[in-house]
Amino acid sequence: MMSGQMISGQTISDGAVLAQLVAQGQQQGADLATLRAIVEQSGELGATRALVRMGLGDEGAGRDLGELRELLAAWRDAKSSLWKAGLAWVVRLLGAIGIGAIAVQQGLMGWGK
């Protein structure tokens, strides 16, 4: 994606190019309201084209995005739960090993001293 255009060896931002084109149109006789309407329509057309290219140009796109957000939220919840459960098991395992070590050290199992 380009963030600007090269004009006379200089990079000009898209906003500056747009402002320059509007000024040029105004100098050539177009009124400012007409130029702004053209800019607004071209922006809307560009946004629509981008959505269509991403596969989000149909009636169900809003529903699809909602479902994707729900799926992402569920994934994050599951990932968080997995980490919490894993940590709980590690703590339990370390506790069991500690208790077992104490039992062996005290000779309660007949393996120690």
Side-chain angles (χ1 to χ4, degrees):
M1 230 176 161
M2 290 187 64
S3 61
Q5 294 182 359
M6 284 291 257
I7 298 177
S8 301
Q10 296 179 347
T11 302
I12 300 177
S13 71
D14 292 335
V17 171
L18 185 58
Q20 184 179 9
L21 290 172
V22 168
Q24 182 181 350
Q26 205 171 16
Q27 289 172 356
Q28 294 177 359
D31 66 345
L32 189 57
T34 302
L35 292 171
R36 287 187 179 183
I38 291 170
V39 168
E40 185 176 334
Q41 288 297 316
S42 65
E44 190 172 322
L45 179 62
T48 301
R49 285 181 182 168
L51 288 171
V52 168
R53 286 181 186 152
M54 291 188 311
L56 298 171
D58 61 347
E59 294 285 327
R63 185 182 67 249
D64 293 343
L65 285 175
E67 290 174 2
L68 284 172
R69 286 184 179 141
E70 287 178 21
L71 184 61
L72 183 59
W75 166 251
R76 288 178 178 158
D77 290 344
K79 190 170 64 168
S80 175
S81 295
L82 180 66
W83 279 106
K84 288 177 184 176
L87 182 61
W89 275 103
V90 167
V91 169
R92 287 182 191 127
L93 181 63
L94 290 176
I97 290 172
I99 290 172
I102 292 172
V104 168
Q105 185 181 23
Q106 296 298 320
L108 299 176
M109 299 185 73
W111 296 341
K113 296 179 181 177

